[in-house]
Amino acid sequence: MNDLTKGKPLKLIFWFTIPLLIGNIFQQFYSLSDTLIVGQTLGVKALAAVGSTGSVQFLIIGFAQGLTAGLSILTAQHYGAKDFKGVRRSFAISIIVSLVVGIILTIVSLIFVDHILVLMQTPTDIIDDARTFLQIMLGGMLAPIAFNLLSNIIRALGDSRTPLWFLIISSLINIGLELLFILGFHWGIAGAGWATILAQLLASVMCVVYIVVRVPILHIGRRHFKLRRAEVTSHLRVGLPMAFQMSIIAIGTIVLQAALNSLGTDSVAATTAAQKIDQLATQPLMSFGVTMATFAAQNFGAHQYGRIITGVKQTMWLSGAFSVAAGVIEIIWGQQLVGLFVGHQDMAVLHLSQTYFNIIGSSYILLSMLFIMRNTLQGLGRSAIPTLAGAAELFMRVFAALILVRFFAYPGACFSEPLAWLGSVAVLLPAYIRAVHELRQRMATDKTNKAVDSTVSVTE
């Protein structure tokens, strides 16, 4: 376990982020391998079917993942304050809340899966494959929920390396299972879904074994599962806003996906393939953001307020440099990378993907700021403002889907992302400035109290 409350902030942040970054990239291999293998073996229509379900998965599974991320914030704060009893209680409460939410979401989502696909205007030529893939992913959502909870809890204690190894192993197994199920067993698109769920289940089991063998601070018994209203409420107060934030953002993505579906299979396929490149390109930005949530939470619990301010400033510059480099690479070579998914003969899809890269890649600096400010505020326990920022993203995406797509077709859909990031930053920036001001006030108060205590000690 790593204590992020001591040592040079940027050095700690950088080395904590590296395993997290590699882990996030391997996390993308779950969906990336789906896209690559499905696109090359089952064709463009199957690729579009997988892509058309992404926003629905983001809405439903993303809600639970946002919840688990929020719950781990409380664990990190207890760890920073050296309250190890609180760490165990927080872990137990997080397990109960995640399990209950996961079961409810599984049941409800499977009941309404057909209605969702119809509302999203899923093209008729891919709706059967989309339904098959989505039913498997939603039916097995407890596997990714379990892994996200366990890995977030481990990271809350300052360990970003261990979840990386579990992701590497499970990602390789995922690829092997997809090839076996699709090419060997001829399960079609269902094979991609089952491979992903089984691989994530394996990652969850590895986390449990690791905690039992190597992390005694997380060893919990029956007494830790006795619920106390105040503790449950404090966890939900942080976890639910982060969950709703993910869902609010996802609703905008669903509205946009419906607009994309109305533009035809080529637009869906181009966006599906381009987004895989986009997700890989933005992993450094996302990873720095996730690091800041743990860094801010631990240092807030330890009353190291100045370290939070310093860490955010230094990370903002570093992440900004990555955002510029990623955008340039994507604009120059993105189309060639998309060809790996759809082949180099489908020129309509390739041209659409280049439009996507030109618009999205040039706006990454906004995304860099968004991730750092949002996660820092969440690490401080301020989940309401990021939720409002998510609402701003929703408004911008709906505006793009209803207005820009109508007038500008595919480019209008692409502009939804930069507009969403801009709307979110407009909400987060004033809130972050206020948070920094309050942290400085806490620093001054602590300094005054220490001076008074010192004077009293000398007098005595």
Side-chain angles (χ1 to χ4, degrees):
M1 303 300 106
N2 295 321
D3 188 346
L4 301 181
T5 64
K6 300 175 183 178
K8 295 181 179 180
L10 185 59
K11 181 179 179 180
L12 288 169
I13 290 168
F14 180 79
W15 288 112
F16 186 91
T17 301
I18 293 301
L20 189 61
L21 170 60
I22 299 173
N24 284 342
I25 290 175
F26 272 93
Q27 181 79 55
Q28 291 302 316
F29 281 175
Y30 287 127
S31 58
L32 186 62
S33 59
D34 288 340
T35 305
L36 182 60
I37 296 173
V38 169
Q40 292 290 350
T41 60
L42 301 178
V44 171
K45 286 187 177 180
L47 173 64
V50 172
S52 67
T53 67
S55 56
V56 178
Q57 294 181 61
F58 183 29
L59 170 64
I60 300 173
I61 300 178
F63 179 91
Q65 291 175 341
L67 178 69
T68 61
L71 295 173
S72 68
I73 293 295
L74 272 296
T75 309
Q77 290 183 356
H78 285 300
Y79 185 75
K82 304 298 184 291
D83 177 13
F84 301 137
K85 180 179 179 181
V87 169
R88 294 186 180 94
R89 290 283 304 164
S90 177
F91 184 31
I93 292 170
S94 299
I95 291 173
I96 295 173
V97 173
S98 299
L99 182 61
V100 171
V101 170
I103 292 173
I104 294 173
L105 287 178
T106 299
I107 295 172
V108 173
S109 62
L110 288 176
I111 291 174
F112 292 102
V113 64
D114 284 331
H115 298 82
I116 294 172
L117 290 173
V118 172
L119 287 174
M120 291 181 61
Q121 303 180 55
T122 306
T124 55
D125 57 342
I126 64 173
I127 193 169
D128 288 337
D129 280 344
R131 181 188 300 108
T132 298
F133 187 77
L134 190 58
Q135 286 175 333
I136 294 171
M137 297 301 294
L138 296 180
M141 76 167 70
L142 283 177
I145 289 174
F147 177 67
N148 275 274
L149 172 64
L150 295 171
S151 60
N152 281 328
I153 293 293
I154 293 172
R155 293 189 189 104
L157 306 186
D159 181 3
S160 61
R161 296 182 181 180
T162 300
L164 163 64
W165 293 110
F166 298 155
L167 272 172
I168 291 175
I169 296 171
S170 61
S171 296
L172 293 175
I173 292 175
N174 179 48
I175 294 172
L177 288 176
E178 280 202 81
L179 292 172
L180 175 65
F181 292 164
I182 294 176
L183 298 179
F185 296 168
H186 304 289
W187 286 0
I189 201 169
W194 282 116
T196 300
I197 293 299
L198 290 175
Q200 291 180 331
L201 180 61
L202 175 61
S204 302
V205 172
M206 288 188 287
C207 283
V208 171
V209 173
Y210 174 76
I211 289 173
V212 171
V213 175
R214 300 293 299 275
V215 193
I217 193 176
L218 292 179
H219 289 181
I220 52 180
R222 183 178 301 176
R223 67 184 185 279
H224 298 108
F225 287 93
K226 294 180 180 179
L227 299 181
R228 299 171 185 170
R229 179 178 297 181
E231 290 180 327
V232 175
T233 300
S234 65
H235 280 72
L236 293 177
R237 190 178 294 120
V238 177
L240 285 180
M242 291 182 66
F244 284 119
Q245 170 200 321
M246 296 292 288
S247 293
I248 289 171
I249 295 173
I251 290 171
T253 305
I254 287 178
V255 173
L256 181 62
Q257 184 67 58
L260 276 171
N261 290 345
S262 69
L263 295 176
T265 300
D266 283 347
S267 294
V268 175
T271 304
T272 300
Q275 282 179 339
K276 302 308 176 186
I277 308 301
D278 170 52
Q279 289 166 2
L280 287 174
T282 57
Q283 285 309 305
L285 316 183
M286 182 182 297
S287 300
F288 278 122
V290 174
T291 296
M292 291 312 299
T294 302
F295 179 83
Q298 282 197 16
N299 281 280
F300 187 77
H303 295 189
Q304 298 288 340
Y305 307 121
R307 288 174 58 81
I308 298 174
I309 298 172
T310 300
V312 170
K313 286 182 178 179
Q314 294 175 342
T315 308
M316 192 77 78
W317 282 104
L318 186 58
S319 182
F322 271 103
S323 70
V324 173
V328 171
I329 292 172
E330 194 172 87
I331 291 171
I332 296 176
W333 290 293
Q335 190 173 161
Q336 285 78 6
L337 294 173
V338 168
L340 297 174
F341 299 98
V342 300
H344 296 279
Q345 306 303 317
D346 198 330
M347 298 306 298
V349 173
L350 293 177
H351 287 319
L352 288 172
S353 69
Q354 186 62 52
T355 299
Y356 181 95
F357 290 134
N358 290 342
I359 295 172
I360 300 296
S362 60
S363 308
Y364 279 157
I365 189 67
L366 288 172
L367 186 61
S368 172
M369 297 172 61
L370 186 160
F371 278 136
I372 292 177
M373 290 190 294
R374 183 171 70 191
N375 283 277
T376 298
L377 290 171
Q378 290 170 341
L380 297 176
R382 305 183 181 204
S383 300
I385 294 299
T387 302
L388 292 177
E393 290 190 49
L394 168 62
F395 175 81
M396 289 298 190
R397 286 196 176 94
V398 171
F399 170 77
L402 299 181
I403 305 299
L404 296 186
V405 171
R406 178 180 300 178
F407 289 99
F408 302 103
Y410 189 71
C414 294
F415 270 110
S416 67
E417 292 300 315
L419 286 175
W421 302 338
L422 180 62
S424 184
V425 168
V427 175
L428 292 170
L429 184 57
Y432 173 71
I433 293 174
R434 287 195 300 271
V436 169
H437 178 67
E438 292 178 15
L439 290 174
R440 293 188 188 280
Q441 288 182 324
R442 287 174 178 264
M443 290 171 59
T445 300
D446 285 355
K447 185 176 181 181
T448 301
N449 291 338
K450 288 180 181 179
V452 172
D453 292 341
S454 177
T455 302
V456 172
S457 298
V458 171
T459 302
E460 293 176 347

